[in-house]
Amino acid sequence: MDTTSTRAHDGARTAPRALATEAVHAGRDDLARQGLHAPPIDLSTTYPSYDSRGEAARIDAFATTGAEPDGPPVYGRLGNPTVARFETALARLEGTEAAVAFASGMAALSAVLLVRGSMGLRHVVAVRPLYGCSDHLLTAGLLGSKVTWTDPAGVADALRPDTGLVIVESPANPTLAEVDLRAVAHACGSVPLLVDNTFATPVLQRPAEHGARLVLHSATKYLGGHGDVLAGVVACDEEFAGRLRQVRFATGGVLHPLAGYLLLRGLSTLPVRVRAASATAAELVHRLAADPRVARVHYPRIGGAMVAFEVYGDPHEVIAGVRLITPAVSLGSVDTLIQHPASISHRIVDADDRRGAGVSDRLLRMSVGLEDVDDLWSDLDAALGRGAGNCADDHDAPALAN
């Protein structure tokens, strides 16, 4: 069985393919030639070689550029064929030259910061809201970074000579606020723009087409899609990918091969899952927007399966009142999840900063899954009734925020 990287096989394909076709076939184009249908899982941590001089040359080459070594693998921390298949597929879906996978989304973001920091570029310009732990990583300076928070219009003015990165998340977690990616990329000039594309996925937007150099995913979410794998990935150009591989090798934030296999399998159904869940989410948004117990509904213009809404009553009682919907953090699974950001996902963010970014104490975030829309609404309706308590029913109609 050929255990070399799939990139050489995929590189021979030149005809453009639709996203749905890429989702099924990218990273697998060499399988038929090997007499295989399902991708193999290579669990090896190390690989035999009788040519130690050749190994030394390949390791020296990796140390210089971070390019993947030619020929068979060397060591599991340097690279893995199963993980490489997922990286190839995700890069194809995002329209980038390469992708580098990590053990989690936070490991992926940390690697990006370490790459820029190693070049003396520790200043970061960021737009709130971001995922709570991303916000904390920047604010606390845990990796030596210094952050300037601004709105999208202020990005250009916030840049400094030591700025190494601009970070935005669109749609944002948890308010679903959207950013004009092309305008922000223009404002960045030569500074790389990193876009967290976890909520949108390449099904709804491809940030690289709008000028982003780095596209970040918590692959734990929609890319995996079934709540059973923890991973992160950065899609980018090959030059930056080489630096990320070097950081991954040095720090050990590698993705397990079984996780790589599950992610590759998840990508094959990504367009179908996102579109089906998005249709259900849009209907739930319509019903929530007409409900007098709901003060405001947040839903992005590009659509998607994420919904946020603010209630007049007690949001904690709504969480306690669901029965079909799962009250849990994370998102992007086949089942619907709901959580209270101010208590959990964004608790680590300073309360004033959190509220200033639009994350109110009455905001709930819901990741819509693949259940029947009427069953989901029945559960929500009952939970909202519990949360409303003695609230009056004569509120104004909810506002729908895009």
Side-chain angles (χ1 to χ4, degrees):
M1 183 183 300
D2 183 3
T3 59
T4 59
S5 168
T6 64
R7 285 180 174 81
H9 302 292
D10 278 5
R13 185 194 60 76
T14 57
R17 301 191 297 205
L19 182 80
T21 303
E22 289 285 26
V24 172
H25 290 280
R28 304 170 178 83
D29 286 334
D30 64 312
L31 293 180
R33 290 189 292 274
Q34 298 189 56
L36 299 172
H37 185 238
I41 306 175
D42 188 331
L43 296 173
S44 298
T45 57
T46 192
Y47 299 86
S49 173
Y50 294 94
D51 181 9
S52 56
R53 293 185 181 88
E55 292 290 82
R58 294 202 297 151
I59 291 173
D60 285 347
F62 176 82
T64 302
T65 66
E68 290 188 307
D70 293 329
V74 178
Y75 181 58
R77 189 154 46 84
L78 195 63
N80 173 273
T82 307
V83 173
R85 290 183 180 277
F86 163 65
E87 292 172 331
T88 296
L90 193 276
R92 191 68 59 72
L93 292 179
E94 283 289 4
T96 59
E97 293 178 344
V100 183
F102 295 85
S104 71
M106 291 307 301
L109 177 58
S110 295
V112 172
L113 293 172
L114 287 171
V115 166
R116 300 304 282 169
S118 70
M119 302 170 69
L121 301 171
R122 299 185 180 278
H123 179 243
V124 176
V125 174
V127 176
R128 280 191 172 113
L130 296 176
Y131 168 53
C133 287
S134 299
D135 188 309
H136 177 68
L137 181 66
L138 295 173
T139 302
L142 297 177
L143 296 178
S145 59
K146 300 177 181 178
V147 61
T148 297
W149 295 100
T150 185
D151 57 32
V155 166
D157 290 337
L159 298 178
R160 307 187 327 202
D162 63 336
T163 302
L165 199 64
V166 175
I167 301 179
V168 301
E169 183 173 5
S170 183
N173 186 353
T175 65
L176 304 176
E178 292 173 275
V179 173
D180 183 337
L181 298 181
R182 192 174 299 279
V184 172
H186 179 74
C188 289
S190 62
V191 177
L193 170 63
L194 180 148
V195 175
D196 188 329
N197 203 35
T198 299
F199 278 18
T201 81
V203 177
L204 300 179
Q205 77 180 5
R206 306 210 305 178
E209 295 178 348
H210 300 284
R213 185 177 179 188
L214 306 166
V215 183
L216 174 72
H217 286 272
S218 172
T220 306
K221 313 306 194 295
Y222 286 104
L223 304 189
H226 294 76
D228 55 7
V229 60
L230 197 68
V233 64
V234 180
C236 55
D237 57 71
E238 178 56 35
E239 179 185 357
F240 207 100
R243 293 182 177 275
L244 288 173
R245 294 186 196 106
Q246 290 174 324
V247 168
R248 182 176 65 181
F249 175 72
T251 60
V254 296
L255 184 65
H256 191 276
L258 180 57
Y261 173 85
L262 291 172
L263 288 166
L264 184 63
R265 186 175 68 171
L267 288 185
S268 64
T269 60
L270 178 66
V272 176
R273 287 186 286 105
V274 169
R275 288 165 181 155
S278 298
T280 300
E283 174 59 25
L284 291 176
V285 165
H286 175 73
R287 299 186 189 189
L288 286 166
D291 196 300
R293 298 165 295 185
V294 176
R296 191 179 189 191
V297 181
H298 303 259
Y299 191 63
R301 289 183 174 87
I302 64 169
M306 297 300 301
V307 179
F309 58 98
E310 299 168 50
V311 295
Y312 284 113
D314 187 345
H316 301 285
E317 291 300 317
V318 177
I319 294 291
V322 295
R323 296 295 179 265
L324 175 65
I325 297 169
T326 303
V329 295
S330 200
L331 55 108
S333 186
V334 291
D335 61 319
T336 299
L337 309 176
I338 193 169
Q339 65 108 354
H340 182 239
S343 295
I344 307 179
S345 64
H346 288 71
R347 188 67 179 177
I348 202 167
V349 179
D350 177 81
D352 289 339
D353 291 337
R354 187 172 67 231
R355 294 177 186 125
V359 186
S360 80
D361 291 341
R362 294 188 180 275
L363 182 76
L364 295 169
R365 190 195 74 187
M366 184 168 61
S367 167
V368 178
L370 300 180
E371 302 95 336
D372 181 83
V373 65
D374 289 328
D375 289 334
L376 289 173
W377 177 249
S378 178
D379 194 39
L380 264 181
D381 183 40
L384 285 168
R386 178 172 178 172
N390 296 321
C391 288
D393 290 333
D394 58 351
H395 298 294
D396 293 334
L400 178 59
N402 294 106

